[in-house]
Amino acid sequence: MECGPVLPDSLVLEIFLRLPHDAVLRAGLTCRQWQAVSRDEFLWRELFYSYYRIPRSVPRHPSAVSWYREFKRLFDCIPCVEVQTLREHSDQVLHLAFSHRGHRFSSCSKDCTVKFSFFTQLWDTERPDGNISLVHSASMRPFNWGYTQFSQFNPDDSLLLVSGVYLGPHHSSSGEIAVISMENYTLLSRVRNKPYDVFGCWLNETHLISGNLHWIGNMTSCSVLWLNKAFQNVESENVNVVKRLFKIQNMNASTIRTVMVAHCRRHDSPDLLLDYEAQSQARRERGEQQHPHQPLLFDLGTSESDEEEEDEEERRRETGSHGLSCGRLAQPTISGLEHVFHSRKNVGSRELQIEAHVAQMMGRAYTKAPDSNLIEPTESEEGEDKTYLLFTTGSLTYSPHQIGIKRIKPDQMTTSGPVLGEERSSEEFFDSLDHVIDIHGHIIGMGLSPDHRYLYVNSRAWPAGCVISDPMSPPPIAEEIDMHVIDLKTLREERRSLRAHRAFTPNDECFFIFLDVSRDFVASGAEDKHGYIWDRHYNICLARLAHDDVVNSVAFSPADQELLLSASDDSTVKVWRSPRMVRLAQASSCQPRPRGLLSSWLMRSSKNSALAGSVNGKP
């Protein structure tokens, strides 16, 4: 029974507003009055905005039931607790990919103990004890690969696309794609892929996209994107093994890289409920400036000292010996530029200017007009799904600084039809890009939201107002990594850039930092030995995930966004769970395991038999 003088609720509320959230929760256990006040919606609204430093113009997530539960969701459901470290790889782990069901994932790696050796690991996440176990390991070294760098499951998880570096004669390198069956882990087909950082991707369950590069001059080339059957068998003369999708001219030593497919399904129910377009309009009406945002970092995943890490990175930059450089520079040259570096030695500036002028004339004369219906559909296309091919490219320098978008029509999604080359005239044309988005910096990563409406792009910005006079000498790039958000419905950038992660390699050694997007979160690797997690709705960085070296890739489970994997140059894959899931796992492990139905029935039967025997006078 509670007795004594009672403070007014308003005064208790004023006191709670000046306490941290954990102190409010503890105070709520004191008495019934304080418990009631500690659940006040106004209180948790104030605690929410002050703790996470979110602008008050950003509304609460539409799916949130209350401010208290929204605070708890951000604090308790972030996959930031390390629960397992996988050490099957012996060197840098470059990429992770989950199956669409979330029951398996693959990891690509490079092994320096045996030069150019690597493994593609397949893992199983459906273990009764909750741990992840290795299912299969396949080496591509017998096929003259250098290492694997990327993998992707097809939509029905029956096939795995594995992309890697193929080592040719005279130290030349290109890429190759292998297709592996998930039923018996056999190699079904191999497809050449040049340059190797095209990576490749699935268009549907049975067809994948690869690239090829043809040099026209010293700094001019064309990229051809091919549609390939996963099963390299010929059914009839009207079904091709490969079919050309697009042929695109490249200027100033640039090439098409990092292809991916977005299936935009009318955008009626985006997985991210916040209307970015309306928010952007509201900001413009208020006169707010669109500038890079440095969010508060909630360090829930590491206990290391920031000052020690910053001192170490400073020493590395002063000595010019970043721990990753030796491994990355094992590549023969920058992807696709061997021809350019070799030919520029004997070509003067006058010849290069003439070549550039001729290339521009060729582009105007032989380039197909762009698709004017990319954004605004015609009446016959109203309500139809659209398929976009997304890739990185450039126009000012060889550094990828633009997002190219090309729509894939329904009749282009199969190799059936005319035999190869029959649909082209004698004067072959170049395909134009339907849309181009300039990032003004070196693009080092891309990822799609689960509904394929939003494209997230990692980039390292160029200096403001910089002028590129030599395509082979791109501007210096920032150490901060900016993550841009592009709405594929409007084909323009929405929101301010996300920022917290960093990179240190210069622009001529810059490599890919893979990112991943779930329903509520987005995560990315970084060169500062951490992975990072942001909330997509509130635009804030929530946690960082510690490794001993560069974090190259992260991946959310499609079945559970509270499960995250991270891959690093420290040769490990770490498994991260949310605090909520860790508590549930610990609670279930402490409870006695229920008996099986058969064992319970047998025990009951034996007891009944013993009882019946004692009643009848039997021992």
Side-chain angles (χ1 to χ4, degrees):
M1 178 177 179
E2 299 181 6
C3 60
V6 178
L7 292 175
D9 288 354
S10 58
L11 184 56
V12 176
L13 180 62
E14 286 296 328
I15 296 174
F16 283 2
L17 285 170
R18 287 158 176 78
L19 297 177
H21 72 280
D22 52 349
V24 172
L25 294 175
R26 289 194 300 268
L29 302 176
T30 305
C31 63
R32 295 176 182 175
Q33 181 203 16
W34 287 19
Q35 184 183 37
V37 176
S38 68
R39 294 295 187 268
D40 183 82
E41 272 290 278
F42 175 79
L43 169 66
W44 283 101
R45 180 180 182 275
E46 295 301 311
L47 290 175
F48 185 88
Y49 281 118
S50 61
Y51 180 80
Y52 292 110
R53 300 184 188 178
I54 300 172
R56 294 179 181 271
S57 58
V58 178
R60 190 176 70 191
H61 196 288
S63 64
V65 178
S66 66
W67 285 107
Y68 168 72
R69 293 196 177 184
E70 187 67 352
F71 190 105
K72 189 176 181 181
R73 178 185 72 85
L74 291 187
F75 199 82
D76 215 26
C77 298
I78 308 298
C80 59
V81 181
E82 181 183 341
V83 296
Q84 192 177 358
T85 301
L86 308 173
R87 305 182 184 276
E88 299 292 336
H89 290 294
S90 58
D91 200 18
Q92 302 168 356
V93 188
L94 302 180
H95 184 254
L96 298 166
F98 263 105
S99 62
H100 293 80
R101 287 173 50 199
H103 67 301
R104 285 185 177 178
F105 72 91
S106 61
S107 56
C108 295
S109 178
K110 179 164 57 175
D111 192 336
C112 293
T113 58
V114 179
K115 194 173 182 180
F116 298 125
S117 69
F118 59 87
F119 298 91
T120 299
Q121 309 282 7
L122 293 175
W123 309 84
D124 190 355
T125 60
E126 291 184 342
R127 283 284 299 260
D129 55 5
N131 289 327
I132 295 175
S133 60
L134 180 63
V135 175
H136 185 72
S137 180
S139 174
M140 298 297 292
R141 184 171 56 179
F143 302 101
N144 214 33
W145 281 30
Y147 53 86
T148 55
Q149 58 181 355
F150 176 82
S151 60
Q152 186 182 59
F153 288 85
N154 71 335
D156 62 8
D157 293 335
S158 62
L159 304 174
L160 180 69
L161 175 154
V162 181
S163 175
V165 175
Y166 174 84
L167 300 177
H170 309 296
H171 303 288
S172 65
S173 67
S174 62
E176 192 168 84
I177 296 172
V179 178
I180 298 175
S181 169
M182 290 295 95
E183 182 179 358
N184 50 16
Y185 308 114
T186 57
L187 179 64
L188 300 179
S189 61
R190 294 163 57 198
V191 176
R192 191 57 54 89
N193 190 44
K194 185 176 181 180
Y196 49 77
D197 48 8
V198 170
F199 294 124
C201 65
W202 289 103
L203 176 62
N204 49 41
E205 287 83 356
T206 56
H207 292 81
L208 58 101
I209 295 175
S210 65
N212 202 357
L213 183 67
H214 303 279
W215 288 102
I216 302 173
N218 291 310
M219 298 180 65
T220 307
S221 65
C222 69
S223 291
V224 181
L225 298 174
W226 296 93
L227 182 64
N228 308 266
K229 286 191 64 178
F231 304 92
Q232 299 288 298
N233 57 326
V234 179
E235 299 173 357
S236 72
E237 64 273 12
N238 291 323
V239 178
N240 306 307
V241 173
V242 296
K243 184 177 181 180
R244 191 171 80 187
L245 274 179
F246 306 114
K247 181 180 180 181
I248 299 170
Q249 186 185 29
N250 304 312
M251 303 288 293
N252 291 324
S254 65
T255 62
I256 286 179
R257 317 179 190 188
T258 321
V259 297
M260 62 175 55
V261 171
H263 298 284
C264 302
R265 308 186 191 282
R266 299 172 56 188
H267 306 305
D268 285 343
S269 301
D271 58 15
L272 189 60
L273 301 177
L274 184 61
D275 190 340
Y276 288 146
E277 192 170 353
Q279 273 214 335
S280 300
Q281 180 64 28
R283 285 198 299 266
R284 288 192 291 270
E285 291 175 355
R286 292 193 301 267
E288 294 184 13
Q289 297 294 324
Q290 300 287 330
H291 59 276
H293 176 50
Q294 181 78 29
L296 174 68
L297 173 66
F298 301 94
D299 188 1
L300 306 179
T302 179
S303 59
E304 297 181 7
S305 170
D306 291 343
E307 295 181 359
E308 293 177 358
E309 293 178 12
E310 291 177 1
D311 292 342
E312 182 180 353
E313 293 299 343
E314 185 66 27
R315 289 194 298 270
R316 286 185 176 187
R317 290 195 295 272
E318 290 175 357
T319 59
S321 58
H322 187 278
L324 180 69
S325 299
C326 61
R328 301 290 175 179
L329 291 180
Q331 299 175 5
T333 57
I334 297 176
S335 174
L337 298 179
E338 303 96 319
H339 170 85
V340 178
F341 284 116
H342 176 74
S343 60
R344 276 177 62 89
K345 297 178 181 179
N346 302 319
V347 178
S349 60
R350 177 61 178 169
E351 286 82 356
L352 293 176
Q353 292 177 359
I354 294 175
E355 179 194 325
H357 182 67
V358 172
Q360 291 174 355
M361 293 180 59
M362 287 178 58
R364 287 194 294 267
Y366 293 98
T367 298
K368 185 181 178 181
D371 184 2
S372 59
N373 299 320
L374 182 66
I375 301 178
E376 297 297 332
T378 62
E379 293 183 0
S380 60
E381 296 176 330
E382 194 70 37
E384 291 184 358
D385 297 345
K386 288 187 176 181
T387 300
Y388 295 150
L389 182 66
L390 312 175
F391 46 85
T392 62
T393 183
S395 60
L396 303 176
T397 176
Y398 71 84
S399 297
H401 60 94
Q402 294 175 329
I403 304 294
I405 301 178
K406 188 69 180 172
R407 185 180 177 187
I408 304 178
K409 300 293 184 61
D411 60 327
Q412 296 175 306
M413 298 184 187
T414 175
T415 53
S416 301
V419 295
L420 183 61
E422 190 174 292
E423 72 278 11
R424 301 291 181 180
S425 62
S426 58
E427 295 183 354
E428 293 186 342
F429 59 83
F430 299 116
D431 294 286
S432 67
L433 305 185
D434 293 327
H435 193 75
V436 177
I437 300 173
D438 202 310
I439 301 298
H440 194 75
H442 194 125
I443 299 172
I444 61 171
M446 294 199 304
L448 285 166
S449 62
D451 69 343
H452 285 202
R453 173 167 178 174
Y454 297 101
L455 176 67
Y456 287 73
V457 181
N458 268 341
S459 76
R460 297 174 61 183
W462 292 334
C466 64
V467 177
I468 301 176
S469 57
D470 184 358
M472 299 308 296
S473 299
I477 51 180
E479 290 187 350
E480 293 80 13
I481 302 176
D482 293 325
M483 187 182 294
H484 306 265
V485 185
I486 297 171
D487 187 348
L488 295 180
K489 177 181 179 181
T490 60
L491 296 181
R492 66 167 179 260
E493 185 173 352
E494 302 288 347
R495 308 181 72 181
R496 292 171 293 183
S497 299
L498 303 175
R499 181 186 291 178
H501 43 334
R502 306 183 69 189
F504 307 106
T505 52
N507 52 12
D508 58 341
E509 301 174 17
C510 199
F511 55 87
F512 224 65
I513 298 290
F514 292 95
L515 59 96
D516 197 23
V517 190
S518 70
R519 185 189 69 246
D520 296 321
F521 308 123
V522 56
S524 173
E527 290 186 49
D528 57 11
K529 299 194 280 189
H530 288 88
Y532 289 83
I533 303 176
W534 292 262
D535 183 85
R536 293 178 59 195
H537 179 84
Y538 297 108
N539 200 29
I540 55 175
C541 189
L542 295 170
R544 63 179 185 175
L545 318 172
H547 273 269
D548 294 329
D549 211 328
V550 173
V551 178
N552 296 307
S553 179
V554 292
F556 287 101
S557 168
D560 181 7
Q561 65 175 354
E562 295 182 42
L563 169 62
L564 177 75
L565 306 175
S566 59
S568 170
D569 278 356
D570 63 13
S571 308
T572 67
V573 175
K574 289 191 176 183
V575 184
W576 306 86
R577 273 294 199 180
S578 68
R580 185 182 73 89
M581 294 303 297
V582 171
R583 285 199 310 272
L584 292 175
Q586 292 173 345
S588 62
S589 63
C590 294
Q591 294 177 356
R593 186 169 296 181
R595 298 191 186 100
L597 293 177
L598 180 60
S599 60
S600 299
W601 179 81
L602 289 174
M603 291 185 66
R604 287 197 304 268
S605 300
S606 61
K607 287 182 180 179
N608 293 335
S609 299
L611 181 61
S614 63
V615 170
N616 296 328
K618 297 179 181 179

